Amino acid sequence: MKFVIEGLTVYFPYEFIYREQYAYMVELKHALDARGHCLLEMPTGTGKTITLLSLITSYQLANPSLAKLIYCTRTVHEMEKVLDELRRLHLYQEKEIGSSRAKILALGLSSRKNLCIHPVVSGETSRESVDAGCRKLTASWVRAAAETNLDIETCSFYQGYEKQGSEQPLPPGVYTLHDLRVYGRQRGWCPYFLARQMIQFANVVVYNYQYLLDPKVSGIISKEMQKECIVVFDEAHNIDNVCIEALSVNLRQNNLDGASRNIHKLNQIISRFKETDANRLRQEYNRLVEGLAQQGNLHGSDNWLANPVLPEDILREAVPGNIRRAEHFVAFLQRAVQYLRERLDTDTVVKEGPVSFTTTMSTAAGLDQKALKFCYDRLHSLLLTLEVTEIDEFLHVQTVCNFLTLVGTYTRGFSIIIEPYDERMPHIPDPVLQLSCLDASLAIKPVFDRFQSVVITSGTLSPIDLYPRLLNFNPVIIHSFTMTLTRDCLCPMILARGSDQLPVSSKFDMRSDPGVVRNYGRLLLEMVATVPDGVVCFFVSYSYMDGIINSWNEMGILQEVMQHKLVFIETQDYVETTLALENFRQACDCGRGAVFFSVARGKVAEGIDFDRHYGRLVIMFGVPFQYTLSKILNARLEYLRDTFQIKEGDFLTFDAVRQAAQCVGRVIRSKADYGMMIFADKRYNLPNKRNKLPQWIQSQLREEHLNLSTDMAVHIAREFLRRMAQPSDPQVSKSTLLSQEDLEKMAAMPNF
Amino acid sequence: MEEEDKAPDMEAWERAYADDRSWESLIEDESGLLKAGDDVQQQRQHRRRLIQASGPRIQRGIIRYLCLILDFSRAAGEIDFRPSRMAVVAKAVEDFVREYFDQNPLSQLGIIVMKNGIASVVTELSGSPEAHIRALKSNLESFGEASLQNGLELAHTYVQHIPSYGHREVVIVFSALSTCDPGNILETVKKCKAARMKCSVVGLTAEIYICKHISQETGGSYAVAMNEGHLKEILLEHVPPPAAMPDASSASLVRMGFPQRGSEGAVAICACHKELKIGGGYICPRCRARVCELPTECSLCGLALVSSAHLARSYHHLFPIPTFDELLVDASLRGKSSFAGSCFGCRIQLSGSGSLRLRCPRCKRDFCFDCDVYIHESLHNCPGCETLQEEAVT
């Protein structure tokens, strides 16, 4: 259908549109008009992706000055989904306005691991080994050598791309990663380099958060993007954590050992070069005198890792004299690693700011701050000069350099914490030196500054007013949309008491109380006997889950649960969890029924959907607060309080509730679906927690479902399930949809 | 706790009613009588089901072989239906069996019970409602798990012996929330589909994916009962014969015998009970064996024995009377016809009686809701059309 929003013709590939989708479009358009950033919350299952794509591409059609849409997703799977939706939209647009006007080029970009079609290299298992395998075949000096020596292997796809592909643009259309690989095979061109080349010309680019937020990657991939771009971060409820992770480094004993080995190897290579090709090293020296900025004219495939987002002036500065020569730099690194090793060898927890850390570093080991800043780039310049292709072997020294650069660059927003052992296991020495970023706004600031509009959206962004403060920006639009439901297909409940009327909670002083454990167990037992097919349980942490499952096992509750449903557990092992999930699905499919124990903030809570019969009920046992004794968390809380005036309690509650909402939100993925959510902790009853839940959950949380005991919850669940099992009336479900005529009528009414 | 203090006398069962607030929908009419809720709305609801069931005139399979699989696992002992799910199911099934044979005299029915992980035959496919009900009543206990796969496999072995013109149906009444199978149930479902078994499921608790899958794959229906009344209602939806299978549409002749009733006082050995009986009974026209009840299959020569009355009773399914149209009360219609103001069936005043006004599309006579139900569900003749025919004859 086609309709007009305030003068903008929007092409929407479906016959009907939900009310909230329309409202979303209106708000989004306002933000784009104002050329500002916006923050929009709309529940999953309402077609957020197509709404975004539909409005923004229509906006692009109307305003050709707009450069491109950059759509950031978290996983490759989501990326493909977005591109599939976009293809449908594109087909519709072609039908409506002809293929010449609706011409777009949209493509997804991912790592070499997902795009490589070289028969040998693509078989590698890890991302680093694929990258290294690719470099061995495509680095400029390898290819130069191959021209004279036919024995040296190169990648035919890269050669093909280099010969023809780099000049010819991709024909317009929508390319998923799969399409790119197919196209690459047909033409004999490398899809990865083709995609990287083509994002300059594309109207829509879909890629991972990292490509914009992680300075190590964004430098190469995204630096050519124009200002007139619209950036969308989808599923962005954890964006602050992504930002922080992008700028945090952990160093352990094995990193330092590995770095020492790397340095040793570098020394060997340097001395070899000195004998055979001293000229190269001299050239590099001259180049460094001129400054890092001139590095840009290196060959396309060689600038594989670039500088972190540094203050602009550093890029123009020349590399300091004491690390210009290769052997000096390596000696510098050796001293740094030695110093870090000494720091790591401690019995007490040390917490320091970057300023004091660098000061002691320069006095104790003679490593000055200015030189630190350049470590990362200097290392890469060196690796290029030495023609090292096995970059995956040099990961450790890269980590160390990354650390040194970050420490040298930022004077605030970071803290360095050295812990001699894990708090939870004090007997095992496991020293770790953590450079932890405390300020999420540091990583995302360049994105906000650079691009015209940034859209941050997710199903769960509540409480929505905290995000602008955390990320330190001024959105022009903040809005939270609710879902128009055809029937009450959501049933959130707050369970505060067990059947024996004793309160239940995962609070620290109560969590090991056998009464609470038993009450939680009874709740699970009653529920698996009431709810069909799949049930998902979330616990606050792995250790809590282990403990409570052990107690249930001893009490015999687990055995009783297993009479009704099979039990699967998420573990920290990725493969094991995948297997458990697969079997869980199978048990749901064949009617045996299954229950999945999982952990808030775990892999499952973040990325796996339990829609339809895979999740008819999700129980959140306790409030998933972060581990409050963690040094890093405390440092961050302190920083937030001092810098952004966010109270510790506020942030902790915000974080816990958004995690809980994220967990329970797994259960419903579309309007035709239905599911129940039980928040099993008396603390959810407190207004400061309850009111922070997303609007779409709150609106379904009825007054009488607030302070339930187990037996009441079972009663409600029974009624709810019977009601939901009745066939839905198609007449009623139509009423939440708007057709083209409805929209035209609404447009005629001035005050909608 | 607080809630307990507020309403100390409130029992758990009362709460359900308190939530419903059913008293608020009571309406007092002008004479001070109380009526429950909106009559017209309820009548419309009732009619909607009728209309859905009717549809265009279709070929129906009159000769049905229905296998009733009952779940008497541990879950059937739950007491959310009073006195227990099992007792309620048994009662509903009893009604269903009677109604089934009343409307499908040419059909047969067998009962399978699932309990303790296995499925066992209660009654073989046969025609007598009383025998089924008796056998079922002597089998009322519940324990163990339910296994849908075992139930379906057993029903599948039944089906092997059914002649090709017969309709193979399975109705599962399922109380449990899970099925505990020895193998892959999805394979069994494929097998049932290949054997053209139509499997429908009536659930008692909640929507279960596998039940939905079974019914969707095999072309059956799936419904979950809200309460006892609803359970009966959805079970009875399986009473009218289903549409004929598309691949069995080629007409085939079925050999049937119309036995005579034996004379009073004649003494013969009954073929079905294997004992001496005096008087009554029916004599098979082919082998002269005596059987006690009709319809049945002669136990000697295997001929299908029916009475002509049975055939006639099945007839109305093939030529149903049309659904009546609802007339919205409109002043312009009044006074057009001599009976415009009253029901043609019972002469009740239609205006202001709180009943829908329904008109037969053929004879254009108006009827009240009660007569509509009576005509369509029991009488299977429209009085208006019949009088028209009489007038045409005279």
Side-chain angles (χ1 to χ4, degrees):
Chain A
M1 63 195 277
K2 187 168 98 173
F3 49 87
V4 178
I5 296 178
E6 294 165 10
L8 173 73
T9 315
V10 178
Y11 299 92
F12 191 73
Y14 299 98
E15 242 176 274
F16 296 99
I17 184 169
Y18 292 129
R19 277 169 197 284
E20 60 268 28
Q21 284 180 318
Y22 185 80
Y24 191 96
M25 285 186 182
V26 173
E27 294 294 343
L28 186 56
K29 180 176 181 295
H30 289 165
L32 297 187
D33 283 342
R35 298 178 174 240
H37 312 313
C38 65
L39 202 58
L40 300 168
E41 179 188 54
M42 185 158 85
T44 39
T46 46
K48 202 163 44 225
T49 307
I50 190 65
T51 314
L52 269 167
L53 290 174
S54 183
L55 187 94
I56 296 179
T57 50
S58 303
Y59 201 86
Q60 276 180 324
L61 280 175
N63 305 292
S65 65
L66 214 61
K68 57 183 69 146
L69 162 63
I70 304 173
Y71 198 107
C72 299
T73 64
R74 286 182 314 168
T75 60
V76 174
H77 178 68
E78 280 169 22
M79 187 188 298
E80 299 282 69
K81 270 202 298 198
V82 170
L83 285 163
D84 277 337
E85 289 271 24
L86 187 62
R87 170 168 305 145
R88 183 174 313 187
L89 175 67
H90 179 56
L91 286 177
Y92 175 76
Q93 283 184 348
E94 275 189 342
K95 212 176 77 198
E96 279 293 320
I97 55 173
S99 51
S100 56
R101 267 198 67 206
K103 198 185 285 180
I104 63 170
L105 177 63
L107 53 92
L109 179 65
S110 183
S111 64
R112 288 180 175 87
K113 169 136 184 16
N114 293 318
L115 279 172
C116 182
I117 52 172
H118 188 273
V120 180
V121 176
S122 61
E124 297 277 354
T125 44
S126 78
R127 204 182 72 203
E128 286 80 16
S129 51
V130 175
D131 285 354
C134 183
R135 287 190 66 69
K136 274 181 205 143
L137 301 178
T138 61
S140 56
W141 57 87
V142 174
R143 284 183 290 114
E147 272 171 22
T148 52
N149 182 356
L150 292 176
D151 290 342
I152 295 175
E153 201 188 349
T154 55
C155 174
S156 65
F157 296 106
Y158 185 81
Q159 298 292 11
Y161 155 76
E162 183 70 13
K163 276 203 197 89
Q164 311 156 351
S166 51
E167 272 84 57
Q168 278 176 15
L170 215 54
V174 178
Y175 295 88
T176 62
L177 298 184
H178 178 74
D179 298 335
L180 282 171
R181 280 197 302 267
V182 170
Y183 186 82
R185 274 205 196 92
Q186 272 173 9
R187 294 295 183 99
W189 296 349
C190 173
Y192 174 73
F193 286 102
L194 184 67
R196 259 183 55 180
Q197 168 83 9
M198 283 306 145
I199 54 174
Q200 294 174 31
F201 308 106
N203 309 88
V204 182
V205 180
V206 185
Y207 56 39
N208 196 284
Y209 276 25
Q210 250 67 36
Y211 287 88
L212 270 188
L213 293 182
D214 190 339
K216 297 193 281 298
V217 198
S218 73
I220 20 168
I221 302 293
S222 311
K223 84 177 152 204
E224 312 249 299
M225 302 287 188
Q226 303 90 323
K227 181 179 169 25
E228 292 80 20
C229 285
I230 299 171
V231 179
V232 174
F233 288 103
D234 197 3
E235 301 285 330
H237 44 270
N238 273 345
I239 192 165
D240 55 326
N241 292 340
V242 177
C243 293
I244 283 175
E245 267 162 40
L247 291 183
S248 296
V249 185
N250 280 7
L251 290 179
R252 283 172 196 278
Q253 197 68 49
N254 66 333
N255 296 117
L256 296 181
D257 293 346
S260 297
R261 278 198 306 277
N262 293 158
I263 290 168
H264 183 66
K265 192 151 183 215
L266 281 176
N267 262 329
Q268 283 177 342
I269 303 175
I270 289 171
S271 51
R272 202 179 65 218
F273 260 88
K274 263 191 184 157
E275 286 160 19
T276 56
D277 196 2
N279 204 23
R280 275 194 75 85
L281 290 173
R282 208 167 307 124
Q283 274 174 12
E284 186 201 25
Y285 179 85
N286 292 337
R287 207 169 61 231
L288 292 175
V289 174
E290 284 165 22
L292 274 172
Q294 268 69 43
Q295 271 189 5
N297 50 19
L298 278 175
H299 195 272
S301 63
D302 291 339
N303 56 358
W304 35 284
L305 283 168
N307 33 40
V309 175
L310 301 174
E312 283 286 313
D313 50 318
I314 290 189
L315 281 178
R316 292 195 207 96
E317 254 178 278
V319 171
N322 59 351
I323 56 170
R324 270 184 217 159
R325 290 184 70 103
E327 55 270 42
H328 291 171
F329 175 60
V330 172
F332 181 88
L333 279 185
Q334 211 152 18
R335 281 209 307 282
V337 170
Q338 191 51 43
Y339 176 74
L340 292 175
R341 209 190 288 274
E342 278 162 24
R343 291 302 306 263
L344 208 52
D345 187 24
T346 169
D347 295 334
T348 51
V349 177
V350 179
K351 197 185 136 204
E352 252 181 288
V355 178
S356 74
F357 190 82
T358 45
T359 321
T360 47
M361 213 170 175
S362 73
T363 51
L367 305 160
D368 66 306
Q369 189 212 347
K370 189 159 181 232
L372 287 178
K373 272 193 253 189
F374 287 91
C375 278
Y376 199 77
D377 295 288
R378 181 66 191 90
L379 176 70
H380 292 128
S381 168
L382 181 66
L383 288 179
L384 281 179
T385 314
L386 299 181
E387 301 185 345
V388 174
T389 51
E390 301 87 1
I391 43 163
D392 52 339
E393 287 171 23
F394 287 90
L395 276 181
H396 293 302
V397 76
Q398 285 178 38
T399 316
V400 171
C401 284
N402 189 17
F403 174 85
L404 295 175
T405 304
L406 287 172
V407 166
T409 309
Y410 294 102
T411 52
R412 50 176 282 281
F414 281 81
S415 78
I416 291 134
I417 296 166
I418 307 170
E419 283 181 282
Y421 48 75
D422 194 327
E423 289 270 309
R424 278 160 277 194
M425 282 174 288
H427 315 296
I428 306 159
D430 177 25
V432 57
L433 195 156
Q434 307 163 76
L435 173 73
S436 135
C437 174
L438 306 175
D439 190 344
S441 63
L442 287 179
I444 204 169
K445 187 169 181 297
V447 180
F448 283 130
D449 290 347
R450 179 119 146 256
F451 298 109
Q452 179 178 323
S453 288
V454 177
V455 181
I456 293 180
T457 185
S458 172
T460 44
L461 281 179
S462 297
I464 204 161
D465 51 329
L466 207 53
Y467 282 88
R469 288 161 75 190
L470 278 179
L471 301 178
N472 198 16
F473 73 115
N474 286 320
V476 290
I477 302 274
I478 300 185
H479 207 285
S480 172
F481 301 88
T482 57
M483 188 158 34
T484 51
L485 293 170
T486 53
R487 49 179 190 170
D488 294 337
C489 61
L490 270 183
C491 182
M493 297 181 239
I494 293 177
L495 183 122
R497 296 162 287 145
S499 299
D500 53 6
Q501 305 303 331
L502 290 176
V504 292
S505 173
S506 68
K507 223 160 125 182
F508 194 73
D509 51 347
M510 284 174 75
R511 59 168 61 172
S512 46
D513 179 357
V516 172
V517 172
R518 189 170 45 246
N519 268 330
Y520 274 151
R522 299 302 308 176
L523 166 69
L524 177 67
L525 192 53
E526 298 270 348
M527 281 300 160
V528 293
T530 314
V531 179
D533 300 327
V535 173
V536 192
C537 301
F538 286 100
F539 297 88
V540 292
S541 68
Y542 279 111
S543 62
Y544 182 58
M545 179 168 81
D546 288 348
I548 202 164
I549 289 178
N550 259 335
S551 325
W552 285 348
N553 191 21
E554 279 158 23
M555 291 173 181
I557 290 175
L558 210 56
Q559 287 75 0
E560 276 183 77
V561 168
M562 278 198 272
Q563 286 191 347
H564 296 278
K565 290 189 193 306
L566 304 181
V567 175
F568 296 94
I569 301 177
E570 177 187 7
T571 61
Q572 269 147 320
D573 183 346
Y574 185 70
V575 182
E576 220 168 57
T577 305
T578 316
L579 201 66
L581 267 173
E582 199 176 301
N583 286 321
F584 169 81
R585 295 228 164 88
Q586 217 167 5
C588 294
D589 280 336
C590 77
R592 181 62 184 87
V595 49
F596 197 89
F597 291 151
S598 176
V599 172
R601 300 167 201 281
K603 271 252 178 312
V604 171
E606 266 306 306
I608 311 290
D609 288 349
F610 292 96
D611 54 345
R612 297 178 297 133
H613 61 284
Y614 297 126
R616 285 299 181 211
L617 164 72
V618 41
I619 308 178
M620 180 75 236
F621 288 106
V623 185
F625 282 116
Q626 286 190 46
Y627 179 62
T628 40
L629 297 179
S630 147
K631 299 283 178 309
I632 296 181
L633 178 65
N634 282 329
R636 185 167 179 211
L637 287 176
E638 218 170 88
Y639 182 82
L640 286 176
R641 191 190 54 209
D642 297 345
T643 321
F644 298 123
Q645 287 78 47
I646 297 171
K647 275 192 240 154
E648 286 102 327
D650 279 355
F651 178 77
L652 284 174
T653 312
F654 149 79
D655 187 65
V657 174
R658 81 170 157 179
Q659 292 300 340
Q662 185 57 26
C663 291
V664 298
R666 300 277 108 202
V667 80
I668 184 154
R669 270 1 221 180
S670 86
K671 289 190 181 188
D673 199 4
Y674 64 89
M676 294 183 293
M677 312 162 166
I678 295 183
F679 297 93
D681 193 309
K682 64 168 182 176
R683 288 174 291 174
Y684 285 110
N685 244 343
L686 303 173
N688 74 347
K689 307 248 177 353
R690 208 192 324 142
N691 297 341
K692 286 196 169 76
L693 286 170
Q695 201 53 47
W696 56 278
I697 294 183
Q698 267 188 57
S699 62
Q700 294 296 315
L701 189 59
R702 308 221 312 251
E703 198 70 15
E704 61 265 34
H705 292 177
L706 283 187
N707 186 15
L708 299 176
S709 63
T710 304
D711 49 334
M712 289 151 82
V714 169
H715 178 75
I716 292 169
R718 279 215 173 109
E719 292 300 311
F720 175 78
L721 287 168
R722 287 221 172 90
R723 203 166 57 239
M724 284 301 124
Q726 304 311 314
S728 58
D729 196 343
Q731 214 59 41
V732 179
S733 58
K734 272 242 176 88
S735 66
T736 59
L737 296 168
L738 302 172
S739 65
Q740 193 158 346
E741 291 95 81
D742 293 336
L743 287 173
E744 276 158 16
K745 255 183 255 163
M746 267 163 43
M749 282 188 297
N751 286 331
F752 175 67
Chain B
M1 288 280 212
E2 305 87 75
E3 202 151 314
E4 231 71 337
D5 298 337
K6 256 188 270 167
D9 301 331
M10 192 90 107
E11 299 286 341
W13 60 271
E14 285 176 310
R15 260 181 238 140
Y17 294 95
D19 287 347
D20 264 3
R21 309 181 81 78
S22 53
W23 54 86
E24 284 185 354
S25 57
L26 286 179
I27 298 167
E28 196 175 345
D29 67 3
E30 60 270 27
S31 53
L33 292 170
L34 289 178
K35 285 194 295 183
D38 194 352
D39 266 358
V40 175
Q41 216 48 46
Q42 279 179 2
Q43 292 174 2
R44 288 217 174 99
Q45 199 104 37
H46 188 98
R47 275 179 46 78
R48 193 177 307 151
R49 228 185 51 243
L50 273 184
I51 292 168
Q52 273 166 7
S54 71
R57 182 186 291 176
I58 42 171
Q59 192 182 6
R60 287 177 184 275
I62 294 219
I63 301 174
R64 309 166 65 188
Y65 293 84
L66 189 141
C67 192
L68 204 55
I69 304 182
L70 305 180
D71 164 22
F72 283 171
S73 66
R74 196 176 31 220
E78 296 257 336
I79 50 168
D80 53 345
F81 287 80
R82 309 277 162 180
S84 75
R85 288 182 191 171
M86 184 172 56
V88 170
V89 168
K91 184 80 192 58
V93 165
E94 192 182 325
D95 292 342
F96 169 75
V97 170
R98 285 186 208 284
E99 189 69 20
Y100 174 81
F101 283 110
D102 190 52
Q103 293 209 27
N104 305 277
L106 303 179
S107 304
Q108 298 200 354
L109 182 139
I111 299 179
I112 292 173
V113 161
M114 303 184 285
K115 67 172 79 163
N116 204 16
I118 53 170
S120 51
V121 175
V122 173
T123 53
E124 299 281 348
L125 281 174
S126 64
S128 150
E130 292 311 319
H132 291 303
I133 292 165
R134 223 179 305 126
L136 180 65
K137 277 192 174 156
S138 64
N139 245 313
L140 285 185
E141 49 184 340
S142 65
F143 55 93
E145 311 281 339
S147 165
L148 275 178
Q149 192 189 14
N150 285 339
L152 285 175
E153 288 282 352
L154 193 59
H156 186 259
T157 55
Y158 262 28
V159 163
Q160 307 289 334
H161 315 295
I162 295 178
S164 63
Y165 55 80
H167 264 246
R168 301 145 178 215
E169 289 173 59
V170 174
V171 174
I172 306 169
V173 183
F174 203 55
S175 311
L177 282 170
S178 62
T179 155
C180 219
D181 298 323
N184 188 355
I185 190 170
L186 302 174
E187 292 297 318
T188 310
V189 174
K190 271 185 206 146
K191 214 159 88 183
C192 292
K193 194 180 174 190
R196 291 192 287 117
M197 289 160 70
K198 183 180 150 188
C199 306
S200 302
V201 186
V202 177
L204 271 85
T205 39
E207 185 184 82
I208 303 160
Y209 173 77
I210 190 69
C211 295
K212 204 170 177 179
H213 178 77
I214 291 172
S215 55
Q216 268 172 0
E217 280 295 301
T218 60
S221 64
Y222 180 40
V224 175
M226 295 285 285
N227 49 42
E228 200 177 331
H230 190 215
L231 170 70
K232 214 162 134 183
E233 208 171 278
I234 51 185
L235 252 185
L236 291 183
E237 274 171 20
H238 293 285
V239 165
M245 292 167 291
D247 48 340
S249 54
S250 63
S252 61
L253 293 176
V254 182
R255 188 187 289 272
M256 281 187 180
F258 296 90
Q260 277 186 328
R261 193 168 168 80
S263 55
E264 295 295 322
V267 180
I269 293 177
C270 167
C272 40
H273 294 90
K274 319 244 181 342
E275 56 188 42
L276 204 63
K277 289 269 169 101
I278 302 171
Y282 301 88
I283 314 286
C284 168
R286 191 151 71 174
C287 65
R288 318 294 301 165
R290 179 195 183 279
V291 292
C292 290
E293 277 180 326
L294 290 185
T296 182
E297 209 165 80
C298 175
S299 45
L300 289 189
C301 63
L303 186 67
L305 302 177
V306 294
S307 79
S308 56
H310 289 141
L311 269 186
R313 242 195 290 154
S314 300
Y315 183 75
H316 77 262
H317 290 301
L318 299 182
F319 303 101
I321 33 173
T323 355
F324 293 175
D325 304 323
E326 184 185 339
L327 289 187
L328 295 174
V329 181
D330 190 348
S332 65
L333 283 170
R334 287 213 182 112
K336 283 260 167 92
S337 152
S338 54
F339 289 116
S342 61
C343 164
F344 186 75
C346 59
R347 303 278 161 143
I348 195 175
Q349 278 298 320
L350 279 176
S351 45
S353 68
S355 161
L356 297 176
R357 179 190 289 261
L358 302 151
R359 174 168 287 183
C360 172
R362 260 193 303 212
C363 62
K364 308 281 180 220
R365 308 266 204 227
D366 292 355
F367 292 91
C368 69
F369 175 76
D370 291 331
C371 286
D372 174 67
V373 172
Y374 177 63
I375 289 168
H376 280 96
E377 290 179 9
S378 312
L379 196 60
H380 304 298
N381 277 321
C382 169
C385 302
E386 297 298 321
T387 50
L388 273 185
Q389 275 168 17
E390 270 171 42
E391 278 163 20
V393 170
T394 55

